[in-house]
Amino acid sequence: MTGPRYTRLAETLPATVPFVGPETQERARARPFRARLGANESVFGPSPAAILAMRQAAQEVWMYGDPENHDLRAALADHHGVNPAHVTVGEGIDGLLGYLVRLLIEPGDAVVTSDGAYPTFNFHVVGFGGVLHKAPYKGDHEDPEALVALAAETGAKLVYIANPDNPMGTWHDATVTARMIEALPEGALLILDEAYVDFAPEGTAAAVDADDPRVIRMRTFSKAYGMAGARVGYALGHPGLISAFNKIRNHFGVGRIAQAGALAALGDQGHLHLVQRRVAGSREDLSRIARLNGLTPLPSATNFVTMDCGGDGAFARKVLEGLIARDIFVRMPFVAPQDRCIRVSCGTAPQNALFGAALPEALAAARGG
Amino acid sequence: MTGPRYTRLAETLPATVPFVGPETQERARARPFRARLGANESVFGPSPAAILAMRQAAQEVWMYGDPENHDLRAALADHHGVNPAHVTVGEGIDGLLGYLVRLLIEPGDAVVTSDGAYPTFNFHVVGFGGVLHKAPYKGDHEDPEALVALAAETGAKLVYIANPDNPMGTWHDATVTARMIEALPEGALLILDEAYVDFAPEGTAAAVDADDPRVIRMRTFSKAYGMAGARVGYALGHPGLISAFNKIRNHFGVGRIAQAGALAALGDQGHLHLVQRRVAGSREDLSRIARLNGLTPLPSATNFVTMDCGGDGAFARKVLEGLIARDIFVRMPFVAPQDRCIRVSCGTAPQNALFGAALPEALAAARGG
């Protein structure tokens, strides 16, 4: 009696997962966190209108959601001044990245990203047998020129950049992105992950022609719209590429409640602006706490503040562990030299205060340990 | 300026989708359906406890769901008398079928199913380049012996059977499934889709050893639990196979609201039993309506009744179109000779009455047309 015959690729894949969730850590610690500031969720929550829409949709959950996501796509198209044919909706940006990689990458194909950028993208690339080529960060920013050069050198089919960047929180002006697109080698598709762009200064979001076949932009309801647990992301791109998703996607994958919530959230731009202001205030608060403790907060265009602990990766890891031991859930960048930092998501004032109280203790323990 | 360079496989894939949703039809008709009896949803809805849990979870939707689906998997394991290591949760059975096919099938690999069985499974097989080999139905039942023989002949890596079957509603006793498993050729994995098994007589659900590496069972909250719009399915199988899903799945794909709802639904077995009784009553009602109109209802172990219209596929299609023209959403099997039938999901008494009023008109129009 033998087991399944996996693909050659599946046999080689590691069992690792991109992220360990806070619940897993809580179960391992047998103690809940007091402040959940590690996953860049929006503690300020979604629009009340979105909550209401989801509560109402719960009554109708016996029905499958519309597999075309018609109403949401129409509203998104209107919001962005494009056509619904430029928009596809999926199970978070994570789900959309998986579909996109599947459409383009077969074993051995080259893909370019930054060393230390979004691990779930790498998870999908490896999962389809792609070969990752990584450009280092430059001054804690992703380096568009290096990414483009590496794409040309490797013949990459896909180039990934997040603007603003996670995990550093840094960003480029839209003019930099525009130059990057013009400089892309023929046949390379740029994935512009704009998950955090709602938190960024005016002039950060790329002004991309929706019909430009060289770029696909990814957006999400998980960050500024405060709906991480609903799993709704969307992509904006050339209609040919957008329609290709229909060849492979889980057509009923975005459920009825999620669609209703996203539609209502999009309709309440006032709440979005409120969240933007609260996040800006929280960023200042966190930056002040960092400086008070001798850390250097990086400028951020996101809903988190990455703090340079002033030492190496081992030291930052000790600080991280000290915070977690004090029931503060935070994360840190994975790759040197960015791993000298910890990454703290914007909390409410009381949550930031908990972090502020734990940080000096964690630093002292890290220095003494 | 060129577009993306797709994989050779993606270039060959058709743009077709497995199902056209009722919303798409409503938009095309510019008129809503009066009775939604085409997608085998549960008009009897989920447990009130599940609705309450989802409404409460909507407040917490700013948090990602637990990527391990820990609590739900633990409850499912308890429910089935297995370990959590035997259980994986995904974005509906559709999502899980996609992951499973991805793990096993590379271009050219053989897969066996019945001609006319679940199209979304075929969509995934084609989507990963698998080669479908189809055994005909036998007396409106899937034919386990023919499926096994075809698997042996083609060296299939995967064999799909639904018990009870969709779209015919017929079923096999668990002893038949057990014999099928014993007869499987070495190296073939049986996918036992038990989406509808909650509606079936005692003795239908396979008594599979959870450690048996030859079988993976699929279950869902979309049917008897009435949560199609939440997108929660699960698979029961050997821990080695179950853990392989972690190599490729969208770890955050099942959202917080969906997990909370499924957990509460599972906890309310009383509601499940109520739905089972209501579905049984509705099946009798629909069967009576069919017979009153000279159609032959097939025995059903599901939440739908497949009705033999007594003619060919062209005639059944006219009946279907007549029903849709009268604002009754139903579907029909795709493949001859099963396409002589229409498939009607169990409705409430008023919904069945709408169907019962429309059917004679649709039949008259089909006969006259």
Side-chain angles (χ1 to χ4, degrees):
Chain A
M1 199 188 294
T2 58
R5 287 177 283 158
Y6 298 103
T7 64
R8 290 162 293 183
L9 177 58
E11 290 281 8
T12 68
L13 294 177
T16 54
V17 302
F19 286 106
V20 176
E23 292 83 3
T24 305
Q25 297 183 46
E26 289 178 329
R27 285 188 292 269
R29 296 153 21 98
R31 203 165 73 241
F33 286 115
R34 291 182 297 147
R36 185 169 160 128
L37 304 176
N40 300 343
E41 298 156 330
S42 182
V43 298
F44 305 107
S47 157
I51 294 176
L52 184 64
M54 288 186 278
R55 289 171 64 97
Q56 287 173 340
Q59 304 280 143
E60 301 177 344
V61 78
W62 62 272
M63 290 183 275
Y64 286 101
D66 174 14
E68 296 187 351
N69 302 293
H70 176 275
D71 295 351
L72 180 56
R73 283 172 55 231
L76 287 167
D78 197 48
H79 181 73
H80 288 287
V82 299
N83 297 321
H86 294 113
V87 186
T88 190
V89 173
E91 304 92 330
I93 289 180
D94 286 1
L96 291 166
L97 287 172
Y99 293 136
L100 180 63
V101 171
R102 177 173 163 197
L103 283 169
L104 269 71
I105 301 303
E106 49 194 304
D109 282 344
V111 176
V112 164
T113 185
S114 301
D115 193 16
Y118 194 48
T120 306
F121 176 65
N122 299 355
F123 170 80
H124 290 308
V125 171
V126 171
F128 286 100
V131 178
L132 283 161
H133 300 275
K134 299 177 182 176
Y137 277 65
K138 185 174 171 184
D140 293 326
H141 288 67
E142 292 196 69
D143 185 345
E145 288 180 21
L147 291 166
V148 165
L150 193 55
E153 184 187 321
T154 60
K157 281 180 158 180
L158 278 173
V159 183
Y160 175 93
I161 190 169
N163 192 37
D165 173 60
N166 174 24
M168 302 313 286
T170 52
W171 70 102
H172 291 291
D173 191 86
T175 55
V176 175
T177 316
R179 273 203 306 274
M180 183 178 184
I181 293 168
E182 292 309 320
L184 282 172
E186 190 79 6
L189 178 71
L190 181 69
I191 306 172
L192 186 54
D193 183 341
E194 297 185 326
Y196 295 96
V197 81
D198 298 306
F199 303 113
E202 282 286 316
T204 304
V208 178
D209 180 343
D211 284 311
D212 192 325
R214 300 169 298 179
V215 192
I216 185 166
R217 283 174 290 167
M218 302 277 184
R219 299 284 187 107
T220 184
F221 285 91
S222 297
K223 302 300 175 190
Y225 288 102
M227 290 176 50
R231 305 279 61 215
V232 190
Y234 61 100
L236 299 167
H238 186 281
L241 175 56
I242 292 300
S243 70
F245 282 78
N246 286 332
K247 295 178 171 185
I248 58 161
R249 71 187 179 92
N250 184 0
H251 286 266
F252 291 86
V254 180
R256 197 165 192 94
I257 299 173
Q259 289 184 40
L263 186 61
L266 187 69
D268 188 357
Q269 293 291 307
H271 180 79
L272 179 71
H273 299 146
L274 181 67
V275 169
Q276 288 166 332
R277 286 193 298 276
R278 286 182 173 161
V279 164
S282 184
R283 272 194 313 236
E284 285 181 34
D285 195 23
L286 287 174
S287 300
R288 185 187 52 80
I289 292 169
R291 279 188 293 262
L292 272 176
N293 287 277
L295 309 189
T296 306
L298 273 64
S300 168
T302 66
N303 69 339
F304 59 87
V305 177
T306 298
M307 303 174 183
D308 186 340
C309 293
D312 59 5
F315 180 69
R317 181 156 300 283
K318 281 187 197 161
V319 177
L320 181 87
E321 286 164 0
L323 289 165
I324 286 173
R326 285 161 184 82
D327 303 333
I328 310 294
F329 169 52
V330 294
R331 285 200 173 114
M332 62 182 283
F334 295 109
V335 173
Q338 282 74 44
D339 68 350
R340 71 190 190 281
C341 302
I342 58 170
R343 192 195 71 178
V344 186
S345 306
C346 289
T348 60
Q351 291 162 341
N352 289 352
L354 288 171
F355 168 73
L359 181 59
E361 296 177 18
L363 282 166
R367 283 175 186 136
Chain B
M1 198 187 295
T2 58
R5 288 177 283 158
Y6 298 104
T7 64
R8 290 161 293 181
L9 177 58
E11 290 281 8
T12 69
L13 294 178
T16 54
V17 302
F19 286 106
V20 176
E23 292 83 4
T24 305
Q25 296 183 46
E26 288 178 329
R27 286 188 291 269
R29 296 153 21 98
R31 202 164 74 241
F33 286 115
R34 290 181 297 146
R36 184 169 161 127
L37 304 176
N40 301 343
E41 297 156 330
S42 181
V43 297
F44 305 107
S47 156
I51 293 177
L52 184 65
M54 287 185 278
R55 289 170 63 96
Q56 286 173 341
Q59 304 280 143
E60 301 177 344
V61 78
W62 62 272
M63 289 184 274
Y64 286 101
D66 174 14
E68 296 187 353
N69 302 291
H70 175 274
D71 295 352
L72 179 56
R73 283 172 57 232
L76 287 167
D78 198 48
H79 180 73
H80 288 287
V82 299
N83 297 322
H86 294 112
V87 187
T88 189
V89 172
E91 303 92 331
I93 289 180
D94 287 0
L96 291 166
L97 288 172
Y99 293 136
L100 181 64
V101 170
R102 178 173 161 197
L103 283 170
L104 268 71
I105 301 303
E106 49 193 303
D109 282 343
V111 176
V112 164
T113 185
S114 300
D115 193 16
Y118 194 48
T120 306
F121 176 65
N122 299 355
F123 170 79
H124 289 307
V125 171
V126 170
F128 286 100
V131 178
L132 283 161
H133 300 275
K134 299 177 182 177
Y137 278 64
K138 185 175 172 184
D140 293 326
H141 288 68
E142 292 196 69
D143 185 346
E145 288 180 22
L147 291 166
V148 165
L150 193 55
E153 183 188 321
T154 60
K157 281 179 158 182
L158 278 173
V159 183
Y160 175 91
I161 191 170
N163 192 37
D165 173 59
N166 174 25
M168 302 312 285
T170 53
W171 69 102
H172 292 291
D173 190 84
T175 56
V176 175
T177 317
R179 274 203 305 275
M180 182 179 185
I181 293 168
E182 291 309 320
L184 282 171
E186 190 78 8
L189 178 71
L190 181 69
I191 307 171
L192 186 54
D193 184 341
E194 297 186 325
Y196 294 96
V197 80
D198 299 304
F199 302 114
E202 282 287 317
T204 304
V208 179
D209 180 344
D211 284 311
D212 192 326
R214 299 170 299 179
V215 192
I216 185 165
R217 282 174 290 166
M218 301 279 185
R219 300 283 187 108
T220 184
F221 285 91
S222 297
K223 302 300 176 188
Y225 288 102
M227 290 176 49
R231 304 279 61 214
V232 190
Y234 61 100
L236 300 167
H238 185 280
L241 175 57
I242 292 300
S243 71
F245 282 78
N246 286 332
K247 295 178 171 184
I248 59 161
R249 70 186 180 92
N250 184 0
H251 286 266
F252 291 86
V254 180
R256 196 165 194 95
I257 299 173
Q259 290 184 39
L263 187 61
L266 187 69
D268 188 358
Q269 292 291 307
H271 180 80
L272 179 70
H273 298 146
L274 181 67
V275 169
Q276 289 166 333
R277 286 194 297 276
R278 286 182 172 162
V279 164
S282 184
R283 272 194 312 236
E284 284 181 34
D285 195 23
L286 288 174
S287 300
R288 185 186 54 80
I289 292 168
R291 278 188 294 264
L292 272 176
N293 287 276
L295 309 189
T296 306
L298 273 64
S300 167
T302 66
N303 69 339
F304 59 86
V305 177
T306 298
M307 303 174 184
D308 186 341
C309 294
D312 60 5
F315 179 70
R317 181 157 298 285
K318 280 187 196 162
V319 177
L320 181 87
E321 286 164 0
L323 289 165
I324 286 173
R326 286 161 184 82
D327 303 334
I328 311 293
F329 169 50
V330 293
R331 286 200 173 116
M332 61 181 285
F334 295 108
V335 173
Q338 282 73 45
D339 68 350
R340 70 190 191 281
C341 302
I342 58 171
R343 192 194 72 178
V344 185
S345 307
C346 290
T348 59
Q351 291 163 342
N352 288 352
L354 288 171
F355 167 72
L359 181 58
E361 296 177 17
L363 282 167
R367 283 176 186 135

